[in-house]
């Protein structure tokens, strides 16, 4: 079988492995998207975004939402055209047919998910010891983080249906936490205690003009918007993806975008920018200021714990499905396409991604004073925005590949605008990113190049996949 062949219908497979089970309908997909976008970013980065632009902290979230919306349109055209797992790596492979480029995209997306999940696991452990008042050292926090990632492994191995049920519960908890911030702030604002003049006030660093400050803040805020693209890796586990994906992805983005704007406006109106930017728990500071008698110190650590737990679970789901898809396409070793005969989950890919996560959790825990969320969050958005640039270009290239089934179309202008916007937020002189983000991303990609070279040299010549281009002789 050609590596580009794919299952043609739900519940079937073109090889000896069973197909993934289609368990996701519109409701579960919407909760998956909302739960993946909401999480670590908004709970931790609101203050740092405000520190870059002052009271107009809502503006970077609006810009990030606009970039995410345009990018989502390109993803929707591709996922409804090619409803298979693997996402961006598959699209770049089909568009350019370059194995090395495909591997880099695959590795970058995988690293972004695993790095984000690893940071979330560390945050989960820290919130757990804070919530229970445990006087724990760095070693105990590390063990709790590793234990939590082991629990994510078990849930993921159990099955996507069980994983999505857990996601429903965790999404409800993290959404409740954000609504709590909005409602308590609303009560404070209704009492005439808020200062709305701060909401439109720009306060930037001396070495940055307003435009560069907004770009820097958007680069941070975009970490809070990523997650919508993870859903395309669940395409083979979604019922009727061509019809369901456009409505649910755009609805999910709209819901989260509205919540983010409301949270950022409320935060700045309630708390002075300097105090908000200096806080490691900005939303807890907002609630404490708006309602001093509310037991926020007892509640928010647990809400934050659930929020980051959901981020970790969904990111590990995405990473494992990505490796599964690439193993199935023949780009990565075929053992990654192994599916459990009973649970029908990609067991080999799940175990491998978890092992990588264990290593990352241990690495980031070596320095307990490291700004994990800002550094790894910024690196995550850097990697993904680079990938998104390639996805926008792939949409235009793949317009020449026609398919018989109806699919979403992003138009001619949006992919071009999206590619320019994403590239702008990647380049160092326009995005205002710190050099450490590029250093971490570079090291990760160099590791990927080394692994790809080893796999290439040890793979028999007969097993090297074809270009992945679609022509008259290729199956559609």
């Amino acid at each position: 079988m050609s590596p580009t062949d794919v299952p043609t219908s739900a519940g079937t497979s073109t090889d000896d492995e069973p197909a993934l089970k289609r368990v996701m309908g519109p409701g579960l997909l919407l909760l998956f998207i909302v739960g993946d976008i909401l999480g670590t970013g908004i709970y931790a980065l609101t203050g740092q975004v405000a520190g870059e632009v002052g009271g107009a902290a809502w503006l970077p979230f609006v810009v990030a939402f606009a970039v995410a919306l345009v990018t989502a349109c390109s993803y929707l055209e591709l996922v409804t055209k090619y409803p298979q797992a693997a996402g961006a790596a598959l699209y770049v492979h089909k568009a350019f047919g370059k194995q090395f480029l495909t591997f880099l995209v695959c590795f970058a997306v995988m690293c972004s998910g695993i790095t984000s999940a690893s940071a979330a696991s560390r945050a989960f452990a820290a919130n757990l010891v804070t919530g229970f008042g445990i006087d724990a050292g760095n070693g105990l926090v590390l063990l709790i983080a590793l234990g939590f990632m082991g629990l994510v492994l078990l849930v993921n191995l159990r099955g996507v249906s069980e994983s999505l049920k857990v996601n429903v519960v965790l999404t409800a908890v993290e959404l409740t936490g954000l609504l709590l911030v909005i409602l308590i702030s609303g009560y404070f604002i209704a009492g005439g205690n808020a200062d709305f003049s701060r909401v439109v006030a720009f306060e930037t660093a001396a070495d940055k003009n307003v435009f560069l400050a907004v770009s820097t803040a958007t680069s941070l805020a975009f970490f809070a918007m990523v997650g919508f693209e993870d859903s395309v890796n669940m395409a083979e586990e979604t019922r009727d993806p061509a019809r369901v994906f456009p409505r649910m992805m755009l609805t999910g983005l709209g819901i989260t975008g509205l919540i983010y704007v409301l949270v950022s406006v409320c935060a700045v109106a309630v708390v002075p920018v300097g105090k908000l930017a200096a806080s490691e728990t900005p939303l807890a500071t907002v609630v404490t200021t708006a309602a001093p008698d509310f037991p926020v110190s007892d509640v928010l650590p647990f809400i934050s714990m659930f929020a980051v737990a959901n981020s970790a679970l969904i990111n590990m789901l995405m990473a494992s499905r990505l490796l599964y898809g690439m193993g199935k396409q023949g780009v990565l070793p075929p053992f990654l396409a192994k599916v459990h005969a009973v649970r029908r989950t990609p067991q080999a890919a799940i175990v491998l991604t978890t092992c990588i996560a264990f290593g990352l959790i241990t690495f980031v825990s070596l320095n307990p004073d490291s700004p994990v969320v800002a550094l790894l969050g910024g690196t995550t958005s850097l990697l993904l925005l680079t990938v998104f640039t390639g996805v926008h270009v792939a949409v235009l290239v793949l317009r020449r590949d026609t398919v018989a089934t109806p699919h979403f179309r992003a138009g001619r202008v949006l992919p071009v605008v999206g590619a320019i916007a994403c590239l702008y937020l990647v380049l160092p002189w326009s995005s205002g990113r710190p050099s450490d983000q590029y250093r971490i991303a570079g090291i990760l990609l160099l590791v990927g190049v080394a692994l790809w070279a080893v796999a290439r040299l040890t793979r028999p010549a007969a097993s090297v996949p074809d270009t992945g281009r679609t022509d008259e002789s290729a199956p559609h």
Side-chain angles (χ1 to χ4, degrees):
M1 183 188 75
S2 168
T4 54
D5 289 344
V6 294
T8 55
S9 62
T12 63
S13 177
T14 57
D15 55 22
D16 295 333
E17 290 294 331
L20 298 180
K21 188 176 181 181
R22 292 194 185 274
V23 297
M24 296 184 72
L28 281 178
L29 181 60
L30 178 61
L31 286 172
F32 184 94
I33 294 170
V34 172
D36 201 3
I37 299 176
L38 297 177
T40 309
I42 187 63
Y43 276 93
L45 292 182
T46 305
Q48 295 187 41
V49 171
E52 291 289 341
V53 295
W58 52 270
L59 181 59
F61 285 105
V62 170
V63 177
F65 169 75
V67 175
L69 185 61
V70 172
T71 303
C73 289
S74 288
Y75 266 97
L76 285 174
E77 175 166 336
L78 293 171
V79 74
T80 55
K81 194 174 183 180
Y82 311 106
Q84 304 152 27
L90 173 64
Y91 310 144
V92 171
H93 185 64
K94 284 184 174 292
F96 304 107
K98 302 295 183 182
Q99 292 297 320
F100 181 68
L101 180 60
T102 300
F103 184 85
L104 283 181
V105 171
C106 172
F107 197 81
V109 175
M110 186 196 70
C111 285
S112 71
I114 297 178
T115 304
S116 179
S118 300
S121 297
R122 172 74 189 195
F124 176 92
N127 277 285
L128 186 145
V129 298
T130 300
F132 285 104
I134 302 173
D135 186 14
N138 186 51
L140 179 58
V141 174
L142 171 59
L143 290 178
I144 294 173
L146 293 174
F148 168 74
M149 186 54 67
L151 180 61
V152 171
L153 166 68
L154 295 178
V155 174
N156 205 350
L157 281 173
R158 177 68 181 172
V160 69
S161 179
E162 288 75 8
S163 300
L164 293 172
K165 290 175 182 177
V166 174
N167 171 60
V168 170
V169 176
L170 297 180
T171 297
V173 173
E174 64 185 352
L175 183 58
T176 299
L178 295 176
L179 292 178
L180 186 67
V181 172
I182 294 172
L183 291 175
I184 292 177
S185 299
Y187 178 80
F188 182 81
I189 292 170
N193 300 310
D195 184 1
F196 270 100
S197 65
R198 291 196 293 260
V199 176
V200 293
F202 280 95
E203 299 174 23
T204 63
D207 59 338
K208 294 182 180 179
N209 56 38
V210 171
F211 198 73
L212 182 58
V214 172
S215 298
T216 304
T218 301
S219 299
L220 279 174
F222 198 83
F223 175 60
M225 289 303 307
V226 299
F228 65 90
E229 79 287 347
D230 289 351
S231 62
V232 303
N233 294 298
M234 310 300 291
E236 287 189 51
E237 292 162 278
T238 301
R239 296 190 295 267
D240 196 5
R243 182 181 63 86
V244 169
F245 260 94
R247 291 187 293 114
M248 294 304 102
M249 185 179 287
L250 296 178
T251 301
L253 275 172
I255 291 172
T256 53
L258 177 62
I259 291 174
Y260 283 178
V261 171
L262 288 175
V263 168
S264 57
V265 167
C266 290
V268 174
V270 172
V271 181
V273 173
K275 182 179 179 182
L276 190 68
S279 175
E280 294 183 359
T281 54
L283 299 190
T285 302
V286 172
V287 176
T288 302
T289 304
D293 297 329
F294 190 82
V296 63
S297 59
D298 298 328
V299 175
L300 277 198
F302 293 101
I303 293 177
S304 299
M305 189 171 67
F306 281 113
V308 298
N310 202 28
S311 297
L313 173 61
I314 294 181
N315 274 287
M316 294 308 290
L317 272 172
M318 175 275 294
S320 62
R321 268 57 181 183
L322 175 60
L323 285 189
Y324 159 79
M326 286 294 97
K328 191 174 184 179
Q329 292 292 318
V331 177
L332 292 180
F335 80 89
L336 291 170
K338 293 291 182 182
V339 175
H340 193 280
V342 177
R343 302 308 307 175
R344 293 169 67 180
T345 53
Q347 55 183 357
I350 291 172
V351 172
L352 180 58
T353 52
T354 304
C355 290
I356 297 173
F358 283 155
L360 283 172
I361 293 169
T362 304
F363 175 76
V364 299
S365 299
L366 294 177
N367 181 10
D369 298 326
S370 175
V372 172
V373 174
L375 191 56
L376 293 183
T379 305
T380 300
S381 67
L382 172 63
L383 290 167
L384 288 178
L385 283 165
T386 304
V387 171
F388 293 166
T389 304
V391 169
H392 286 298
V393 176
V395 170
L396 299 174
V397 173
L398 290 172
R399 289 280 168 82
R400 65 192 179 193
D401 180 24
T402 58
V403 296
T405 56
H407 60 85
F408 184 90
R409 290 190 64 88
R412 295 182 179 276
V413 176
L414 288 182
V416 176
V417 172
I420 294 173
C422 290
L423 185 60
Y424 179 87
L425 293 174
V426 164
L427 299 175
W429 51 83
S430 56
S431 66
R433 295 176 180 275
S435 59
D436 284 345
Q437 293 181 16
Y438 296 96
R439 190 173 296 113
I440 293 174
I443 292 173
L444 288 173
L445 292 178
L446 284 176
V447 171
V449 170
L451 292 175
W452 180 86
V454 171
R456 186 78 174 180
L457 291 173
T458 57
R459 184 168 53 198
S463 67
V464 177
D466 60 27
T467 62
R469 293 187 183 276
T470 341
D471 52 32
E472 291 79 13
S473 62
H476 291 278

